[in-house]
Amino acid sequence: MRQSILLIYTGGTIGMKQDPDTLLLKPFDFSQISDEVPEINRFGYTIDTYSFDPVIDSSDAKPEFWARIANVIRDNYDSYDGFVVLHGTDTMAYSASALSFMLEGLRKSVIFTGSQLPIGMLRTDGRENLISAIELAAMKDDNGEPMVPEVCICFENKLFRGNRTTKYNSENFSAFSSPNYPLLADIGIHIRYDRNAIHSFLPEEGEFKVNTAMDTNVAILKIFPGMTESYVDSVLSAKGLRAVVLETFGSGNAPSLPWFLEKIRRCTARGVVIVNVTQCQRGSVNMGTYANGAILEEAGVISGQDITTESALTKLFHLLGCHSDAESVKKGMESPLRGEISLK
Ligand code: ASP
């Protein structure tokens, strides 16, 4: 049986071509993908395309857009072996994280990719990213099951767990990193899969289901030396606020300013879930290391452990969409849902 892949084209640089008259970059018609990248025919797969209309710059991504991608996957789940989502790089880490939470019991590969240079350009990275993503999405293990049953990002010869990624470079072809989790596959002459890092499907995960409920009443509060009371107030007094990603120093530390701690305490006391995420590029929050971390725990802040901000934010959207009480949201944040935090 021929493998079949659905390419979902949402926008971003990868789908741009230079208009020969105006020299401006314009989205091109992805249904003609095999004219543009004829190499993909050599796989011998059936490759169909689904194009968003209009396509977007990923800076315009939002929960409704994620729900659309999730629903396209749901509607086509039984007809394809795997899915490739072509997406702008700017918010790809947010979208891949969000999709990982929306898709429950996923048993097929959903591989996000894009590029730093448009596919119509001579030196584009899009061609290689696209070809690798298609191969990975179609790959089966010895039992004939999809090799990577996860939402991933494939970029510049690397396959990442989507909800572990962050875009860290706006210029290099190597634009993404996964600071706290190993690569799922390293794409060289051979594709080397790290089977220990790849999720193995557990029977208790149940049937594939799509849950697109999200509540975006979340704020990100980044602390910094010299922050003012009015800055903190403006974030914590946001109307309808239900949760905060608190970006702290080092292993989860914050200034010991009495006014700051009092505001945090009052906020958690009124049922707002505050999650401590480190501003560091790598590593985990541990509020038990320093007195300046312990004061946050005492004020009711919970640990985000080694989660990325992108993943913490979208996980909160998802949990708040599913639960009306703070306790259930807190419990959900403290345990891994789709491998987005490391088990201690
Ligand atoms: N602004 C573009 C986007 O995210 C950048 C890219 O695709 O790389 O849609």
Side-chain angles (χ1 to χ4, degrees):
M1 258 269 279
R2 265 158 78 100
Q3 304 273 76
S4 56
I5 298 295
L6 183 62
L7 268 185
I8 303 169
Y9 172 48
T10 70
T13 299
I14 191 165
M16 302 278 174
K17 255 176 99 173
Q18 205 163 33
D19 183 305
D21 302 325
T22 63
L23 301 183
L24 291 174
L25 289 173
K26 284 191 173 163
F28 91 97
D29 177 5
F30 242 88
S31 57
Q32 309 300 316
I33 183 69
S34 53
D35 295 346
E36 228 25 72
V37 192
E39 300 91 313
I40 62 173
N41 294 324
R42 289 168 54 191
F43 281 126
Y45 306 152
T46 300
I47 301 174
D48 294 332
T49 55
Y50 177 98
S51 187
F52 275 43
D53 185 15
V55 292
I56 65 159
D57 183 298
S58 78
S59 309
D60 287 320
K62 53 186 175 187
E64 295 76 7
F65 163 76
W66 298 329
R68 241 190 104 188
I69 302 175
N71 289 335
V72 171
I73 293 171
R74 181 200 56 205
D75 296 346
N76 292 281
Y77 193 71
D78 294 332
S79 311
Y80 292 92
D81 293 294
F83 300 87
V84 172
V85 182
L86 299 166
H87 190 288
T89 58
D90 288 348
T91 61
M92 195 185 287
Y94 290 90
S95 296
S97 298
L99 262 290
S100 78
F101 300 121
M102 285 182 167
L103 306 179
E104 297 177 11
L106 182 68
R107 283 169 217 221
K108 297 191 177 180
S109 300
V110 174
I111 317 261
F112 278 72
T113 196
S115 67
Q116 294 279 64
L117 276 180
I119 206 149
M121 289 181 107
L122 200 55
R123 277 195 321 107
T124 184
D125 52 330
R127 190 174 298 265
E128 204 175 291
N129 286 345
L130 175 65
I131 292 169
S132 298
I134 292 174
E135 178 157 0
L136 290 159
M139 192 58 70
K140 299 274 171 85
D141 66 14
D142 299 340
N143 303 319
E145 297 296 329
M147 189 71 154
V148 194
E150 299 202 27
V151 178
C152 309
I153 289 184
C154 170
F155 220 88
E156 186 64 3
N157 299 326
K158 296 182 186 80
L159 185 70
F160 306 98
R161 174 170 293 164
N163 58 29
R164 290 293 196 146
T165 58
T166 191
K167 181 175 179 183
Y168 80 105
N169 200 314
S170 63
E171 291 182 3
N172 270 14
F173 285 157
S174 180
F176 289 90
S177 70
S178 171
N180 291 321
Y181 199 73
L183 293 182
L184 302 186
D186 195 359
I187 308 157
I189 292 178
H190 305 287
I191 300 181
R192 300 210 185 277
Y193 293 93
D194 182 345
R195 285 172 188 265
N196 293 324
I198 294 171
H199 175 68
S200 12
F201 194 78
L202 305 167
E204 61 266 28
E205 285 177 57
E207 287 303 300
F208 173 66
K209 262 204 327 256
V210 170
N211 179 352
T212 58
M214 284 202 156
D215 180 342
T216 58
N217 281 302
V218 182
I220 298 179
L221 176 60
K222 179 168 184 157
I223 61 165
F224 53 89
M227 67 184 171
T228 61
E229 278 199 63
S230 66
Y231 159 67
V232 174
D233 279 341
S234 68
V235 177
L236 299 185
S237 64
K239 209 164 144 242
L241 187 70
R242 292 185 65 200
V244 177
V245 177
L246 183 67
E247 288 197 344
T248 58
F249 306 131
S251 56
N253 306 313
S256 54
L257 298 164
W259 63 259
F260 173 68
L261 294 170
E262 186 49 30
K263 287 181 199 303
I264 295 288
R265 223 183 327 263
R266 268 200 242 131
C267 206
T268 57
R270 65 171 212 261
V272 175
V273 177
I274 306 190
V275 185
N276 190 341
V277 173
T278 177
Q279 292 178 16
C280 291
Q281 302 299 307
R282 179 167 284 175
S284 184
V285 160
N286 183 350
M287 289 187 279
T289 311
Y290 293 95
N292 280 48
I295 48 179
L296 287 177
E297 200 162 22
E298 281 154 21
V301 172
I302 61 167
S303 173
Q305 302 170 63
D306 62 350
I307 201 166
T308 60
T309 292
E310 293 88 334
S311 202
L313 184 85
T314 52
K315 186 176 177 183
L316 281 168
F317 286 177
H318 171 72
L319 291 172
L320 294 171
C322 299
H323 305 284
S324 53
D325 64 302
E327 276 319 303
S328 307
V329 175
K330 275 196 209 167
K331 225 168 119 212
M333 286 309 288
E334 284 172 331
S335 49
L337 205 57
R338 308 278 189 269
E340 70 285 357
I341 50 178
S342 306
L343 279 176
K344 292 251 178 67

